[in-house]
Amino acid sequence: MYVKCDSVLKSEPVQLYIDTEIEPAGAKSIVSVLVKAWAEAPFNRPNEITTTLNIEYYVVYVTESGIQFLNDHKSESVRIPFNGVKEDCFSFVRPVIVGSEYRGTEKLKIRVMPELVGYAIVPSGFETAEADGLEVKREDITVFSAIPVPNTEIVYSGEAVLDSEMSDILASQSTVSVESVSIATDIMHISGKVTTYVQYLKEGKIMGGTIVTPFDEDVLAKGIVDGAVAVPFAEPQGEVTTLSDGSVKVEGVISVKGFAYIPATYSVVTDAYSLTKDLNLKFCEAEIKENVCISYDKSKFFGSVREDSFAPACIAALAAPGITALNYSGMKPIKAEGIVGAQLIAEDVAGTPFGITAEIPFRTECYPLNECPGTVSVYANIADYQARLRQGGTIELSGEIGIKVLSESTELIKYLCDYEEVGDKELSDAPIVTLYIVGKDETLFDVAKALNADVGRLRELNPEIGAEVAEGDKVIYFEN
């Protein structure tokens, strides 16, 4: 019997610097530089994967004729060391922008700091011995074997009126928050929301607003069954347009990928003997996933940015925030802390727009509903976010962080992987009656093996014993 236990490996994070130079024609000052990143399907090599990292740049700047916007794109090949990955693995890469900086105007130099993590499903398993004709001891084990969630695109679309006096849209960014995942046979039901942050012009001034588009979809995921645990990752790609009635339309696709753990129960032979043959038994060990659980919770955060140069009536324009740092520890509860990074645009008292980078620390505790011992992985995303300008030059920032906890524990299984017959047992023809006193931690199988007896025969001769024996029980045995 082959016990399938494909597992998910996660690479060590790889951080790098991507430098580029953009020439915004006639720029007097740079208001903001927004960036987003995505990775293409990786190419696997032994202990390494290679992907193409794409960086999209959105630059808002001021010229003699007013506020302008341009975007640019850069692609770069990235190699990620990934111990254990093989050529035939299913794999994907998640990039996260952990920081960016820029300097200059007419020759704008931008440095982006992405962090990339690779995930791969590695085929694995073990073959157990076919112990036909032997007296065997079996143990039922539940194995969570990983399968890929096929790359799927969910279409989303929504409309909203941000401002009836809005003129041009400068830039937009979208984030996805997956809030619910449920499983049926071959179907993964996923729901959440896409939050699109829009920067636009109103009477020559930069303003900002958000459009929230919920989604609720069934994704075909062949091989998923009831009891499975799905871990999807979602990334949005879309565009924002203005309609004739002044409303703003958001439409695009959510790219969903990830993996799922499928439970299967196997009856594994852990010991064996023969009534007539001497055996040479070979035992092996395998590490299997014993418990997989997932938990999702939300935690509020709050912070503020103060600048004396803020215009008293200015409204900050929003950009998509991100988690720029995350650390976690403990288990009961899981303590997570990190930094929310947000790029804002405000105006000074002279009406000149300028960019601000805000860093808001957060700290939260998660209490998983189920017992989740073992190795813990924590993922965080921005579930909600607002920015408000208060009197006195203070911008208040608040929102919610979604915390996803995945926990896996492993168990070392000892099993019979091979055996050979090495000769006939020397059996006495004389009838012998044996009284056996059960020792500590012995099972009825252990007693039968010690007496070279059939378990059924022992039950027949000792009807007073239950499903199992206990230390000190007396077991009688004799041949017919």
Side-chain angles (χ1 to χ4, degrees), residues 463-474:
E464 71 281 357
I465 63 177
E468 266 301 343
V469 293
E471 182 180 4
D473 284 352
K474 298 178 176 62

Side-chain angles (χ1 to χ4, degrees), residues 17 25 34 102 129 151 231 297 348 398:
Y17 297 106
L34 309 180
Y102 59 89
N151 291 351
V231 186
D297 201 359
D348 61 19
S398 62

